[in-house]
Amino acid sequence: MQVGVMVTSYNHRDWDRLLAGEYDRNPVTPDVDIHRQTVQLGDMVEPLGFDAIWCAEHYGSAYSMQGNPLQWLAFWAGRTKRIDMGTAVIVVPWWQPAKLAHEIAMLDLMLDGRRLHIGLGRGISAHEYDVFGVPREESRERFQEMLDILRRSEENRFSYDGQHYQLPEMTVRPQ
């Protein structure tokens, strides 16, 4: 059995301020302090003998203040030697498909043989969908199209013509 750790940046003490809409008031604990604690926690994953580190994707709230999980995992890939990496999850309707396929390929290469576990999801938060200008009611169709594109991206050349995404013939590099 393998055991991993999901490392994320929650600023729990900031919920009352956000729910009250008191954006002119600073958080009790600054976000940068939460970020530093997250890095300290993540730095313990490999020395403590865990097998993987996982990251989530959320934007604009005290709930998991981590954006691009692939960026976080690239950071951890450079700080570790043995552990695998995983996303919990990449919210695919918020991504441009060619960019996502290339970023996954690059991170996989950076891991130099370690496993990359890709968790994909649709997301649920209305404010996150609003920020990205993506209608939440399209999430199911966008998710399915993105899944089709990511599967095809392993081919040498592919194209895609869907309802939400259109890609000309292309190759994902690095292969």
Side-chain angles (χ1 to χ4, degrees):
M1 174 192 312
Q2 292 192 334
V3 179
V5 176
M6 185 164 132
V7 177
T8 190
S9 302
Y10 296 105
N11 197 342
H12 293 294
R13 297 182 69 199
D14 198 33
W15 275 111
D16 290 340
R17 181 184 72 91
L18 295 176
L19 292 174
E22 298 173 357
Y23 297 103
D24 56 334
R25 188 166 49 95
N26 291 328
V28 172
T29 305
D31 291 346
V32 68
D33 292 345
I34 301 295
H35 171 76
R36 287 182 183 128
Q37 292 169 12
T38 302
V39 171
Q40 290 174 343
L41 179 62
D43 282 344
M44 294 188 302
V45 171
E46 188 171 63
L48 288 174
F50 290 99
D51 300 301
I53 190 166
W54 294 71
C55 295
E57 178 174 30
H58 286 285
Y59 299 89
S61 76
Y63 181 71
S64 185
M65 302 178 301
Q66 289 176 295
N68 180 348
L70 300 173
Q71 182 180 29
W72 270 97
L73 294 178
F75 173 80
W76 296 118
R79 295 172 76 90
T80 60
K81 300 290 181 211
R82 177 189 56 78
I83 60 174
D84 297 335
M85 309 280 155
T87 62
V89 299
I90 297 170
V91 182
V92 295
W94 302 339
W95 285 79
Q96 194 282 339
K99 182 178 176 79
L100 179 57
H102 281 85
E103 289 196 21
I104 289 171
M106 185 65 190
L107 179 56
D108 190 40
L109 180 74
M110 291 170 62
L111 290 176
D112 197 26
R114 293 185 277 168
R115 292 187 122 175
L116 176 58
H117 305 273
I118 300 293
L120 305 173
R122 290 177 31 215
I124 192 160
S125 177
H127 83 270
E128 290 174 306
Y129 270 92
D130 291 346
V131 165
F132 288 109
V134 175
R136 192 167 57 165
E137 59 275 4
E138 295 176 1
S139 68
R140 184 180 308 275
E141 294 83 16
R142 287 178 178 271
F143 177 87
Q144 188 56 57
E145 286 189 28
M146 185 71 87
L147 190 57
D148 293 342
I149 291 167
L150 291 175
R151 286 180 175 144
R152 289 184 189 183
S153 73
E154 294 182 330
E155 300 171 10
N156 187 35
R157 297 283 290 166
F158 75 101
S159 63
Y160 189 81
D161 187 23
Q163 178 181 349
H164 300 285
Y165 304 111
Q166 295 78 41
L167 296 174
E169 191 170 337
M170 62 175 286
T171 300
V172 173
R173 301 296 300 270
Q175 291 184 325

